[in-house]
Amino acid sequence: MDPKKAADLAGRLRKAGPKGFGAGLGIFALAGGIYGLTQSVYTVEGGHRAIIFSRLSGIKPDIYVEGLHF
């Protein structure tokens, strides 16, 4: 989405809703972003290898070594 259009939409939502709606929407978006980030990070313990299972596409062909992955 074009940044100008997104800013215009956010401005209209802020004016259209009750007082504090824009702040609540921002907090909700921030919480969703933090949740998404924490769910996309995984750790492979030392001495192990990992494969990833996706609910959409099944088992991925990649094998991940130990460490922190996104």
Side-chain angles (χ1 to χ4, degrees), residues 6-68:
D8 181 49
L9 177 63
R12 282 190 275 150
L13 284 174
R14 203 171 313 134
K15 292 176 185 174
K19 187 174 182 177
F21 182 73
L25 188 61
I27 291 171
F28 183 73
L30 179 64
I34 290 172
Y35 177 76
L37 181 65
T38 60
Q39 294 300 310
S40 65
V41 176
Y42 59 96
T43 303
V44 179
E45 300 293 328
H48 291 91
R49 305 270 186 212
I51 57 173
I52 301 297
F53 176 77
S54 169
R55 291 182 180 144
L56 298 175
S57 61
I59 297 174
K60 303 279 183 161
D62 301 325
I63 298 173
Y64 296 93
V65 297
E66 58 191 42
L68 183 67

Side-chain angles (χ1 to χ4, degrees), residues 1-10 12:
M1 179 179 256
D2 184 30
K4 290 181 182 180
K5 288 183 181 179
D8 181 49
L9 177 63
R12 282 190 275 150

